[in-house]
Amino acid sequence: MSLIVHIEKKLKNFTLKVDFESKESCLGILGASGCGKSMTLKCIAGIVTPEKGYIELNGKVLFDSDKKINLSPQQRKVGYLFQNYALFPNMTVYENIGVGIKASKREKDSIILKMIENFKLEGLEDQYPSKLSGGQQQRVALARMLAYEPDVLLFDEPFSAMDSYLKEELQILLSDLLNEYHGDAVMVTHSRDEVYRFCKDIIVLDSGKILEFGETKKIFANPRKVQTARLTGCKNISRAIRISDNQVEALDWGCLFTVKSQIPEKITHIGIRAHALKACHEPMDKRNLLPGMIYKIAEAPFEWNVLVQIEDNKNDTKKDIKTISRAKLFDETLVEEKNLFNLTNQKDPVVLWKISKSGLSSSFHENAPIYLTVAPEDILLLE
């Protein structure tokens, strides 16, 4: 069981070029909006035709531009869960689930009833989509997709329009579904939490090009590219230059860092995840040390989000801070975890530190001086 995709598709602002192979697991495609994630799924499903390339599913050629092969969506046996679920509004739940099943009436009824039971849709058989909640609609869409017995499952931002409680419930359902499914699946998402939870391997896509492709946990632990680090949740990124085999200077923070692994020649940035920073009460030297002032503290449900303005380690000159604009940025991006990458794009050297509720000392308050440090193995070396 395998899915092979090697295609090119011209889009408005760039050319989508993807080349990958997936074997009996859930592959995630992680990227920002408009990077070509959904278009990749549409090409696999046969909804959109690439300019050139090759798509093969379990040994069956679905598309080959050289040999003029282009199977219709109906011939591809692809299960596609759209963002809006794409249920037929004039069909009941029962009819929607059975729409793609090719079997005798008896067998078809048996499959539909099994799906209704598996997806907890009892009592809703005669309801139309307009009468269903968002979660119920998604369960119907999942039931319809599985009833068709597809060779590959395609998920296009399956939880993007759900509230947190409903999302958690349906994520458990989907996790169970994928554990029992013996085939290929591809999930498109911009959520690092979803791709980490569901996908054994990931593709990091940016403007139609694959930045990184590999095992999900390894890429999260050690991303190679700046954009990959950002997409996987690294908020603290600085321009950097290599000083020696294991020492690098963070230009935006004015600090020297000793790292565990050998520093590649192509390094352009370093990254530090917010949870990797630790308070240092008795600094012995300036390596791996970020001296600064606590600028803002905000409470999240299970931790504290602390913004620290960094002082230049080399000249101890404190940078000016734009209180109004910085406070506005904090309120809009830090508390809600939206557009948080903007924090690393400002002129003022500011880092985000995440700390547990029990770990924030009463002596930590706004305008308090602080030293932060990071272990050599927790410094990300980025290109």
Side-chain angles (χ1 to χ4, degrees):
M1 303 287 281
S2 67
L3 172 67
I4 301 172
V5 178
H6 176 57
I7 56 172
E8 290 187 19
K9 175 66 181 175
K10 291 182 180 178
L11 304 179
K12 183 178 180 181
N13 298 318
F14 55 81
T15 297
L16 173 66
K17 295 182 180 181
V18 289
D19 186 2
F20 65 86
E21 182 174 352
S22 175
K23 293 184 178 179
E24 284 198 24
S25 64
C26 186
L27 171 69
I29 302 180
L30 179 67
S33 298
C35 71
K37 304 187 303 295
S38 296
M39 184 59 67
T40 302
L41 294 192
K42 291 175 182 177
C43 289
I44 296 170
I47 299 170
V48 173
T49 302
E51 267 70 40
K52 62 179 180 178
Y54 181 86
I55 302 173
E56 179 186 307
L57 178 60
N58 302 333
K60 181 180 180 180
V61 178
L62 307 184
F63 174 77
D64 189 331
S65 57
D66 292 337
K67 296 182 179 180
K68 309 299 181 185
I69 297 173
N70 187 19
L71 301 187
S72 68
Q74 293 77 17
Q75 295 173 302
R76 298 194 182 200
K77 290 207 72 177
V78 169
Y80 199 132
L81 184 66
F82 294 86
Q83 290 185 40
N84 61 358
Y85 315 133
L87 298 176
F88 295 102
N90 59 336
M91 291 185 181
T92 64
V93 167
Y94 193 95
E95 292 168 336
N96 262 289
I97 294 173
V99 73
I101 302 173
K102 291 179 172 58
S104 66
K105 186 179 186 308
R106 183 175 179 179
E107 290 174 328
K108 185 174 181 177
D109 289 341
S110 176
I111 293 171
I112 295 172
L113 291 174
K114 182 181 177 181
M115 291 297 157
I116 286 173
E117 179 183 356
N118 289 349
F119 287 91
K120 298 179 175 59
L121 295 167
E122 295 94 336
L124 300 174
E125 294 89 339
D126 298 325
Q127 294 293 324
Y128 289 90
S130 61
K131 300 297 182 181
L132 304 177
S133 67
Q136 291 168 338
Q137 288 182 32
Q138 189 185 62
R139 279 186 278 147
V140 174
L142 286 168
R144 181 181 64 182
M145 183 170 65
L146 269 293
Y148 175 62
E149 296 185 341
D151 292 331
V152 63
L153 305 178
L154 306 179
F155 301 96
D156 192 353
E157 301 276 7
F159 308 106
S160 60
M162 296 186 176
D163 60 57
S164 57
Y165 175 78
L166 181 59
K167 183 184 296 186
E168 184 67 27
E169 181 182 352
L170 288 170
Q171 284 181 343
I172 293 171
L173 175 66
L174 182 57
S175 180
D176 293 340
L177 184 159
L178 290 172
N179 288 335
E180 296 174 4
Y181 179 70
H182 300 291
D184 296 289
V186 182
M187 178 181 290
V188 155
T189 181
H190 62 265
S191 168
R192 62 181 183 273
D193 295 333
E194 290 172 14
V195 79
Y196 194 88
R197 180 171 186 173
F198 293 107
C199 305
K200 178 183 176 182
D201 299 303
I202 62 167
I203 287 170
V204 180
L205 201 63
D206 182 50
S207 297
K209 293 180 175 58
I210 295 177
L211 293 181
E212 298 193 51
F213 177 29
E215 188 177 331
T216 302
K217 291 184 178 180
K218 288 183 178 179
I219 287 179
F220 269 70
N222 189 28
R224 293 185 298 107
K225 303 288 187 179
V226 172
Q227 185 65 0
T228 302
R230 285 182 175 140
L231 287 169
T232 57
C234 183
K235 306 301 188 295
N236 304 313
I237 297 176
S238 168
R239 294 170 301 135
I241 56 173
R242 182 179 184 272
I243 302 299
S244 64
D245 286 347
N246 70 336
Q247 196 169 62
V248 63
E249 181 180 352
L251 300 178
D252 296 328
W253 302 328
C255 302
L256 293 176
F257 290 93
T258 300
V259 302
K260 184 175 182 180
S261 55
Q262 184 166 335
I263 300 169
E265 294 288 346
K266 293 182 179 180
I267 185 174
T268 60
H269 294 72
I270 65 165
I272 302 175
R273 297 194 185 276
H275 289 100
L277 291 167
K278 308 295 180 186
C280 181
H281 301 288
E282 297 180 2
M284 301 300 293
D285 59 45
K286 292 187 177 182
R287 289 178 301 175
N288 294 31
L289 192 68
L290 290 166
M293 189 79 70
I294 294 178
Y295 172 71
K296 200 78 172 179
I297 302 175
E299 184 177 12
F302 305 108
E303 61 191 0
W304 294 98
N305 293 318
V306 183
L307 273 180
V308 178
Q309 180 191 1
I310 302 304
E311 296 179 1
D312 195 318
N313 236 353
K314 293 186 295 184
N315 57 29
D316 294 327
T317 300
K318 190 170 182 179
K319 300 284 194 291
D320 292 334
I321 194 157
K322 299 177 182 178
T323 305
I324 297 177
S325 62
R326 179 65 69 187
K328 183 179 180 183
L329 175 67
F330 182 88
D331 293 338
E332 292 179 350
T333 64
L334 185 56
V335 178
E336 297 182 3
E337 290 281 349
K338 292 180 180 178
N339 300 319
L340 205 48
F341 301 136
N342 289 338
L343 289 175
T344 61
N345 294 331
Q346 304 301 309
K347 293 181 179 179
D348 298 328
V350 174
V351 297
L352 172 67
W353 174 34
K354 286 180 175 286
I355 186 171
S356 66
K357 286 290 182 71
S358 60
L360 190 67
S361 168
S362 59
S363 63
F364 293 161
H365 54 82
E366 291 182 25
N367 300 320
I370 191 170
Y371 290 96
L372 296 178
T373 188
V374 59
E377 61 270 21
D378 289 332
I379 297 171
L380 305 178
L381 304 175
L382 308 170
E383 299 174 13

